[in-house]
Amino acid sequence: MGGNYSQPKERAIKWFNAFRAELPSMEGKTVVITGTTSGTGFIGAKAMGELGARVLLLNRPSERATSSLEKLKESAGEDHFVQVDCDLQSFTSVRSAIDQVKSMCESSGIDVLCCNAGIMAVDDTATEDGFDVQMQTNHLSHFLLAKELMPLLEKAAETRGEARVMTHSSESRKRPSTPLEAKYYGKNGGNLGGNSASMFFSGAKWERYHQTKLANIVFSLALHEKLQAKHSKVKSLVVHPGLSSTSLQVKTTGMSLTGLIMSMSQSAEDGTMPLLHACCANDVESGDFYGPKGLTGPVVKLEPESLCTNPVSLATLWEASEEAIGDKFEIQ
């Protein structure tokens, strides 16, 4: 499906090792992270486990999930990683995972909710709940997770001074430059433009992906505003990984020029730096946006584009997402 790009290209690690050496301890902290079977999720989970965190891994049950769990346990020990079955394409599965997480974290709370998992430029199909498969996987299920786990984030924040919700966006938040549209949040799966796609990131597949990545950053900024209004100690942060050499492109794009485009990518490790900075670093504030300045490079603080900060978009996303999950998401 990846055209002439059948596996991630090997890229030299430029900045990650020095960056990783400076991260603070995560001892005594609990991290809940989605999508850890490969790429930035695997690398991020591994680093946080090695730093001492208890890491709950929310993945769809599969051989890849089992294999990656064993590799993670080898890196930091049995006690640091726990698999929680969670299929982001099913609200029933997500709610079951939420129940398990609540049981596991009732006494500790949650220090970091890392909304990492995502799929890219897949066919125009509906989930079992009727939503676009990309929107439910990349945003709506994470919205549901954040809503239901917020009390445990607040508990950790009160106990240890802060907690964090990290959301993973991408460069596709701004490409194409169409604004956020409510129709992508409704039960319109399979009826959102078809399967057209071009080598230059246009067509219906890429528009749907763009809408999900725009949703990620708009959600994070909207959550930040709502948390601040309630003087919460929970922080909302958003990141993008740049152009990183992971299996995401192998599994989803199917473009003939993928190999050429990915020849300009950075290592998956370097692409994980924004995620780890937002989850672990001491010098972050709610509302911050981190990533490389361009497609590759060290992690820096960025300014969101006006497309991402439009107040109408923030309100539209929240209302449409609440309608999709069938419940209000209010910060107490």
Side-chain angles (χ1 to χ4, degrees):
M1 189 168 182
N4 59 349
Y5 186 70
S6 58
Q7 61 182 5
K9 288 186 176 293
E10 291 292 330
R11 290 284 169 236
I13 298 172
K14 293 185 178 181
W15 303 283
F16 179 80
N17 292 332
F19 164 85
R20 165 68 176 78
E22 297 296 320
L23 290 174
S25 171
M26 295 285 282
E27 287 285 345
K29 294 187 176 182
T30 296
V31 176
V32 176
I33 178 172
T34 62
T36 66
T37 58
S38 64
T40 57
F42 179 87
I43 296 164
K46 178 175 180 288
M48 288 187 278
E50 290 171 345
L51 289 166
R54 177 177 64 147
V55 187
L56 276 57
L57 313 166
L58 273 58
N59 296 300
R60 183 165 50 186
S62 67
E63 290 185 8
R64 293 175 68 241
T66 301
S67 174
S68 61
L69 174 62
E70 293 308 311
K71 291 176 182 176
L72 288 170
K73 286 181 175 180
E74 289 173 6
S75 73
E78 293 275 338
D79 296 337
H80 287 281
F81 301 101
V82 180
Q83 166 73 14
V84 178
D85 291 348
C86 182
D87 182 353
L88 296 174
Q89 296 176 22
S90 163
F91 285 155
T92 298
S93 177
V94 173
R95 289 190 172 97
S96 176
I98 287 167
D99 289 342
Q100 294 178 63
V101 171
K102 285 180 176 179
S103 177
M104 292 178 193
C105 302
E106 183 178 4
S107 60
S108 66
I110 296 170
D111 296 273
V112 179
L113 172 60
C114 183
C115 302
N116 167 72
I119 56 176
M120 182 171 71
V122 300
D123 286 349
D124 189 3
T125 56
T127 66
E128 65 181 42
D129 301 296
F131 299 96
D132 172 59
V133 65
Q134 291 189 84
M135 185 60 77
Q136 185 162 340
T137 303
N138 296 2
H139 166 64
L140 292 175
S141 285
H142 288 120
F143 186 87
L144 178 58
L145 284 166
K147 184 261 180 191
E148 290 293 331
L149 298 180
M150 186 57 65
L152 290 173
L153 288 155
E154 293 282 7
K155 180 170 187 172
E158 288 301 318
T159 303
R160 291 181 284 279
E162 67 153 48
R164 305 178 186 186
V165 177
M166 190 237 69
T167 307
H168 221 161
S169 185
S170 83
E171 282 287 286
S172 289
R173 71 189 182 277
K174 58 184 179 180
R175 297 189 181 95
S177 59
T178 49
L180 184 144
E181 295 186 56
K183 69 179 183 180
Y184 291 96
Y185 298 76
K187 292 190 176 184
N188 301 317
N191 191 32
L192 287 167
N195 298 322
S196 62
S198 80
M199 68 183 68
F200 299 111
F201 304 99
S202 64
K205 281 187 177 183
W206 286 105
E207 177 61 33
R208 291 192 301 277
Y209 181 63
H210 156 69
Q211 287 287 331
T212 72
K213 293 293 103 178
L214 180 58
N216 291 150
I217 188 168
V218 171
F219 163 66
S220 184
L221 298 175
L223 179 61
H224 160 67
E225 288 189 358
K226 292 177 181 294
L227 290 166
Q228 292 293 291
K230 293 293 185 177
H231 307 288
S232 174
K233 295 178 183 178
V234 178
K235 299 176 180 179
S236 178
L237 304 109
V238 62
V239 306
H240 84 87
L243 184 61
S244 301
S245 184
T246 70
S247 59
L248 183 65
Q249 293 82 9
V250 174
K251 293 181 288 186
T252 56
T253 64
M255 296 193 309
S256 61
L257 294 184
T258 300
L260 176 61
I261 293 167
M262 295 308 295
S263 69
M264 298 179 283
S265 65
Q266 64 185 354
S267 69
E269 288 80 5
D270 289 335
T272 307
M273 293 189 298
L275 180 156
L276 284 170
H277 185 82
C279 290
C280 307
N282 292 322
D283 60 337
V284 301
E285 298 294 338
S286 187
D288 284 355
F289 175 30
Y290 295 102
K293 190 173 182 179
L295 292 178
T296 65
V299 57
V300 297
K301 185 178 176 181
L302 301 167
E303 287 296 322
E305 299 81 10
S306 59
L307 184 69
C308 308
T309 59
N310 185 324
V312 174
S313 293
L314 271 64
T316 297
L317 174 134
W318 208 267
E319 181 179 346
S321 300
E322 287 182 330
E323 183 175 348
I325 68 168
D327 202 359
K328 292 288 187 183
F329 183 176
E330 297 176 339
I331 306 300
Q332 303 301 317

